[in-house]
């Protein structure tokens, strides 16, 4: 069941996209010291460029080769050449920034929150979207929002464009990304509740995998979607298009079976992500971002 009890909030208390953007900047700035303190992360993320295992533009040494016709004299490595009777040029490894395509579930069920004391799934997803984007840009990577007209960029200006696109509701209102072509070695950060049928999610991951694209699934759930804390007669409102409301006479009697079902579903999502060499993390909106 994708839809749960709908809660109403005072519009003045609902954070704007700009508020979430500012919160995300604070969140990502707090993550930076953690990243630079981890050697394995610093060797790739902090540089912002990644070796492509072939000759090309870059700063990392790749190989020496004999000087040939058409080579510029500026490429000659005089120290290496002095060791033999031949002249050698120094070649570097082709390095390039990663492109990270971020997709956030835009369906209506993301507006759900079980309490006015916590963020909706959409608000938390946007907060994490901006935080990760800011962090990736500071690391020199290129980011963009999938299924929009925005081009990948490593400039902080693109974060302002993210705000504009989200405020104008120019992001898709679907719960899975559409099948599309991405450049090989691209990365996808897919943020959503992942309450869609497993088969639909599998099809999208399989399509990305065939293109040589990998990524990470970040599941954002409301605590009520993990625990079903309701008792007695409850009307669950269908939040997606075409979904019907469901009246349950004794919600408490379903708690155990529901708990088993949601755990089984999330386990399937995790195993599915591993089968495609993707990462997976489940996050609940009443926990710290």
């Amino acid at each position: 069941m994708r839809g749960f009890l709908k809660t109403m909030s005072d519009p003045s208390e609902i954070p704007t996209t700009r508020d979430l953007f500012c919160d995300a900047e604070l969140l990502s700035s707090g993550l930076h010291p953690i990243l630079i303190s981890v050697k394995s992360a610093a060797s790739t993320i902090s540089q912002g460029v990644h070796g492509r295992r072939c000759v090309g533009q870059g700063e990392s040494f790749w190989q020496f080769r004999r000087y040939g016709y058409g080579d510029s004299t500026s490429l000659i490595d005089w120290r290496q050449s002095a060791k033999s009777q031949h002249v050698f040029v120094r070649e570097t490894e082709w390095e390039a920034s990663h492109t990270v395509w971020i997709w956030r579930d835009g369906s209506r069920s993301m507006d759900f929150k079980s309490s006015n004391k916590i963020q909706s799934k959409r608000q938390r997803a946007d907060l994490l979207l901006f935080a990760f984007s800011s962090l990736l840009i500071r690391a020199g990577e290129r980011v963009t929002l999938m299924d929009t007209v925005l081009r990948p960029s490593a400039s902080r200006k693109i974060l302002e464009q993210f705000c504009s696109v989200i405020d104008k509701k120019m992001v898709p209102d679907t719960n899975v990304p559409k099948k599309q072509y991405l450049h090989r070695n691209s990365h996808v950060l897919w943020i959503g509740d992942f309450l869609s049928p497993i088969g639909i999610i599998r099809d999208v991951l399989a399509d990305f995998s065939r293109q040589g694209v990998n990524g990470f699934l970040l599941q954002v759930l409301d605590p009520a979607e993990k625990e079903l804390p309701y008792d007695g007669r409850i009307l669950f409102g269908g939040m997606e298009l075409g979904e019907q409301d469901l009246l349950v006479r004794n919600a408490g009697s379903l708690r155990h079976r529901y708990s088993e079902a949601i755990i089984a579903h999330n386990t399937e999502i995790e195993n599915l992500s591993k089968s495609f060499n993707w990462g997976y993390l489940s996050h609940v909106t009443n926990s710290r971002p």
Side-chain angles (χ1 to χ4, degrees):
M1 185 69 181
R2 293 183 61 86
F4 282 79
L5 286 175
K6 302 174 184 178
T7 58
M8 303 299 293
S9 304
D10 182 347
S12 64
E13 297 177 354
I14 299 176
T16 65
T17 305
R18 298 284 171 173
D19 294 333
L20 294 173
F21 174 52
C22 292
D23 290 343
E25 287 286 77
L26 293 174
L27 177 60
S28 65
S29 65
L31 289 172
H32 187 61
I34 298 175
L35 284 179
I36 62 176
S37 68
V38 181
K39 292 183 180 180
S40 61
S43 64
T44 56
I45 297 176
S46 63
Q47 292 177 13
V49 291
H50 310 273
R52 304 300 293 271
R53 310 302 295 172
C54 60
V55 176
Q57 294 183 349
E59 298 180 358
S60 301
F61 170 74
W62 180 246
Q63 65 182 7
F64 290 116
R65 66 167 175 81
R66 293 271 293 272
Y67 178 83
Y69 177 78
D71 287 333
S72 171
T73 56
S74 63
L75 298 177
I76 297 176
D77 190 290
W78 296 108
R79 179 174 297 180
Q80 182 68 20
S81 300
K83 297 177 182 179
S84 72
Q85 297 179 347
H86 303 286
V87 179
F88 289 91
V89 298
R90 181 185 183 91
E91 292 185 325
T92 56
E93 182 181 11
W94 179 27
E95 296 176 326
S97 298
H98 279 158
T99 298
V100 181
W101 300 79
I102 303 176
W103 193 89
R104 188 263 284 156
D105 187 340
S107 60
R108 296 182 181 183
S109 66
M110 292 295 288
D111 290 322
F112 173 70
K113 61 177 180 177
S114 57
S115 168
N116 286 332
K117 297 180 181 180
I118 60 177
Q119 292 178 318
S120 69
K121 292 188 292 182
R122 186 185 304 277
Q123 291 165 350
R124 179 56 59 88
D126 284 343
L127 173 65
L128 296 175
L129 182 157
F130 281 116
F132 277 117
S133 299
S134 179
L135 190 62
L136 287 163
I137 289 172
R138 291 211 309 276
E141 311 292 6
R142 300 188 306 164
V143 300
T144 190
L145 291 179
M146 194 183 297
D147 294 344
T148 68
V149 297
L150 300 179
R151 297 176 64 85
S153 172
S155 168
R156 297 195 63 80
K157 291 181 179 179
I158 198 169
L159 298 179
E160 293 289 334
Q161 294 175 316
F162 283 6
C163 285
S164 178
V165 165
I166 291 173
D167 279 341
K168 293 178 181 178
K169 302 186 185 303
M170 296 171 64
V171 293
D173 59 359
T174 56
N175 49 44
V176 295
K178 66 181 181 181
K179 293 184 179 181
Q180 58 199 283
Y181 171 76
L182 298 180
H183 291 294
R184 190 172 184 84
N185 298 319
S186 293
H187 299 265
V188 171
L189 172 60
W190 181 351
I191 308 175
D193 58 19
F194 295 96
L195 295 179
S196 301
I198 296 293
I200 295 177
I201 299 171
R202 181 187 293 110
D203 288 346
V204 177
L205 290 179
D207 186 64
F208 284 138
S209 180
R210 283 191 291 268
Q211 300 179 53
V213 174
N214 62 19
F216 200 93
L217 306 182
L218 177 56
Q219 184 182 45
V220 178
L221 292 176
D222 186 276
E225 292 174 323
K226 296 199 74 173
E227 302 169 359
L228 195 66
Y230 308 114
D231 288 300
R233 184 184 176 92
I234 301 291
L235 177 65
F236 294 98
M239 300 186 71
E240 300 287 4
L241 287 174
E243 280 190 341
Q244 301 296 319
D245 293 350
L246 176 65
L247 178 63
V248 177
R249 299 185 183 279
N250 185 2
S253 65
L254 301 177
R255 187 171 298 119
H256 180 69
R257 281 185 293 167
Y258 177 85
S259 177
E260 290 181 337
I262 193 67
I263 290 174
H265 178 82
N266 289 347
T267 300
E268 276 198 85
I269 296 293
E270 182 174 10
N271 292 337
L272 182 63
S273 64
K274 288 180 180 178
S275 70
F276 288 103
N277 293 318
W278 282 47
Y280 166 81
L281 178 68
S282 184
H283 173 72
V284 187
T285 55
N286 64 345
S287 60
R288 295 180 61 180

